[in-house]
Amino acid sequence: MSSDDFVDAQPVPPVEASIVSQTDNETSSATRPQHSRTNFSSQDCVDYPIITVPVNKDTQCYNMHHKRRGDAYIFHHTEFDSNLVLGERKDDKDLLQKLSDILADRLEFNVKVFKDLKYKKIEEEIKKAAHENHKNSDCILFVFMTHGSNDKLYARNTHYTLDPLRSLFTSEKCRTLAGKPKIFIIQVCFSFNNYRGKLNFSFLINLIGQQACRGSLVDEGTLIPLCPNRRISSSAMDGPSIPYKLSTHADFLIAYATVSNYAAYRTWFLQALCKVLDSEENQKDDFLSMMTTVQREVAISFESELGDKQIPSLTSLLTRKIYFTQKEKPRNTLTNRMSCINSNISE
């Protein structure tokens, strides 16, 4: 892979950056600029935002050679308000420390741990992350360690759904992460149905059928205009200097501890994840392959006293391979430690 495969993402001035303003969002589709879905020219850049991505469109791997790996946010919950009638999560504090150390030391993330936050504080921190400038970062990563049910996650005081928060990082909303991996790791159990390891996959077939159509929204994509005379010269890229469209929801990887509607044992998924991430041998693999190894580890190596089984569920919207290549300049060990923000200080 040549150095020409990579071009740093650039922050965009507000005038050029507006895809759809709040007032534009209310405009009917008939008044939007009409463009062919297959053929674009540099003229399209007049009507679309200038969003640059840090990699040539045909490159097989993400650019993981920015100045910094990026931030890893861990939202860890052990205590919940009494009205939620949820048990205390006591037995994963050591796992939290181990995961934090591996993300910081092995993968070179700047790790931030938030403990027992109420929902508004979680929302505030995630929105703050979405508005930061990630130009010099390879990617971003989130971990949620809490109780849950179906599509709900629990904060200290209430439940919430992840999708509205995840959508803050789409390419049209968080432009300095456009074309970069956005990784979400969720350790929650979804219900009290246990999977007994039966050789019957009808529930998966039903699940696929139910998820075939999940709503009426249409992904219109984000135009990536590789326009001459606009930020990127044609000589800076391997491919032709023409714009192309990238799915708005591309470049996400979402990993749940278990499949929908099934229980997850509290530590199995993250134990396996830590084991794989900490292995020298597995470091040679791309991240999706590593997550497949995690799935195999959980599905085969873990079993409860009652014979219960579990398998993590992955949703990959990645468009390239992720390799956590070591940074050329070792980071200062002091800045490589996790920062712990405890919500017990008044909210």
Side-chain angles (χ1 to χ4, degrees):
M1 190 181 305
S2 69
S3 59
D4 289 338
D5 285 338
F6 303 130
V7 176
D8 268 345
Q10 301 290 329
V12 184
V15 174
E16 294 182 342
S18 58
I19 296 179
V20 181
S21 67
Q22 192 166 11
T23 53
D24 291 335
N25 202 26
E26 298 171 1
T27 307
S28 68
S29 59
T31 62
R32 294 177 183 173
Q34 298 297 312
H35 297 285
S36 165
R37 289 184 177 273
T38 56
N39 298 312
F40 299 104
S41 67
S42 60
Q43 181 60 36
D44 292 330
C45 297
V46 175
D47 296 316
Y48 279 87
I50 303 301
I51 298 177
T52 62
V53 295
V55 66
N56 183 284
K57 75 171 187 173
D58 294 320
T59 302
Q60 296 295 309
C61 302
Y62 287 102
N63 178 0
M64 303 297 282
H65 299 284
H66 295 86
K67 292 180 181 177
R68 59 195 300 269
R69 181 73 73 214
D71 294 322
Y73 296 80
I74 302 179
F75 295 94
H76 180 255
H77 294 271
T78 57
E79 299 178 356
F80 303 86
D81 289 353
S82 58
N83 63 295
L84 297 179
V85 195
L86 294 171
E88 187 178 354
R89 299 177 73 256
K90 301 178 182 179
D91 53 358
D92 66 349
K93 292 182 179 179
D94 289 343
L95 188 58
L96 168 65
Q97 185 64 54
K98 184 175 183 179
L99 176 63
S100 301
D101 289 343
I102 290 173
L103 290 177
D105 298 335
R106 276 285 189 187
L107 303 190
E108 301 178 280
F109 279 101
N110 175 46
V111 180
K112 303 179 181 181
V113 176
F114 302 87
K115 294 186 177 181
D116 295 325
L117 295 188
K118 294 181 178 180
Y119 172 68
K120 284 297 182 182
K121 285 291 292 181
I122 294 175
E123 182 183 45
E124 178 184 314
E125 292 297 336
I126 293 178
K127 284 184 175 179
K128 187 191 301 182
H131 285 94
E132 288 182 358
N133 186 344
H134 302 278
K135 171 189 173 182
N136 294 321
S137 299
D138 294 335
C139 59
I140 195 168
L141 183 145
F142 293 90
V143 180
F144 298 84
M145 302 170 68
T146 184
H147 284 307
S149 176
N150 291 326
D151 291 331
K152 298 175 183 176
L153 281 67
Y154 278 91
R156 184 187 181 105
N157 62 326
T158 188
H159 62 74
Y160 62 99
T161 55
L162 186 60
D163 268 359
L165 299 177
R166 182 189 64 81
S167 67
L168 296 173
F169 297 90
T170 58
S171 55
E172 66 177 2
K173 292 181 180 178
C174 187
R175 296 181 179 90
T176 53
L177 281 176
K180 299 179 180 181
K182 280 80 70 170
I183 302 168
F184 287 76
I185 296 172
I186 302 103
Q187 170 59 59
V188 300
C189 58
F190 290 105
S191 78
F192 296 101
N193 294 325
N194 287 3
Y195 177 43
R196 301 287 181 178
K198 298 176 182 177
L199 298 178
N200 182 345
F201 299 103
S202 61
F203 77 95
L204 286 177
I205 296 172
N206 291 334
L207 177 64
I208 293 169
Q210 292 168 6
Q211 299 296 327
C213 181
R214 302 184 65 178
S216 59
L217 296 177
V218 177
D219 180 355
E220 295 185 350
T222 300
L223 185 67
I224 308 297
L226 306 180
C227 303
N229 306 320
R230 299 292 295 275
R231 296 195 178 279
I232 303 179
S233 66
S234 59
S235 61
M237 305 295 288
D238 284 344
S241 184
I242 58 174
Y244 68 96
K245 261 193 173 183
L246 176 71
S247 172
T248 303
H249 293 273
D251 305 310
F252 284 90
L253 178 66
I254 306 158
Y256 284 94
T258 187
V259 295
S260 183
N261 294 318
Y262 279 80
Y265 283 81
R266 187 163 300 157
T267 62
W268 292 1
F269 175 45
L270 294 184
Q271 278 181 15
L273 179 64
C274 288
K275 177 181 177 180
V276 171
L277 293 181
D278 202 29
S279 165
E280 290 284 355
E281 182 178 353
N282 290 319
Q283 286 293 318
K284 301 172 185 176
D285 290 336
D286 69 281
F287 188 63
L288 189 56
S289 296
M290 294 168 75
M291 293 305 296
T292 302
T293 303
V294 172
Q295 287 183 297
R296 183 174 68 251
E297 178 76 14
V298 174
I300 296 175
S301 300
F302 288 86
E303 184 173 321
S304 75
E305 293 179 358
L306 297 176
D308 297 335
K309 301 293 290 184
Q310 176 183 325
I311 186 167
S313 173
L314 299 183
T315 299
S316 175
L317 306 178
L318 299 177
T319 57
R320 313 176 198 281
K321 295 180 180 181
I322 305 173
Y323 286 96
F324 287 108
T325 52
Q326 188 173 5
K327 296 298 179 185
E328 291 183 5
K329 296 181 180 179
R331 297 176 62 185
N332 188 297
T333 55
L334 292 177
T335 61
N336 214 15
R337 297 287 82 202
M338 69 175 185
S339 59
C340 182
I341 302 176
N342 197 325
S343 68
N344 292 331
I345 300 174
S346 62
E347 294 187 78

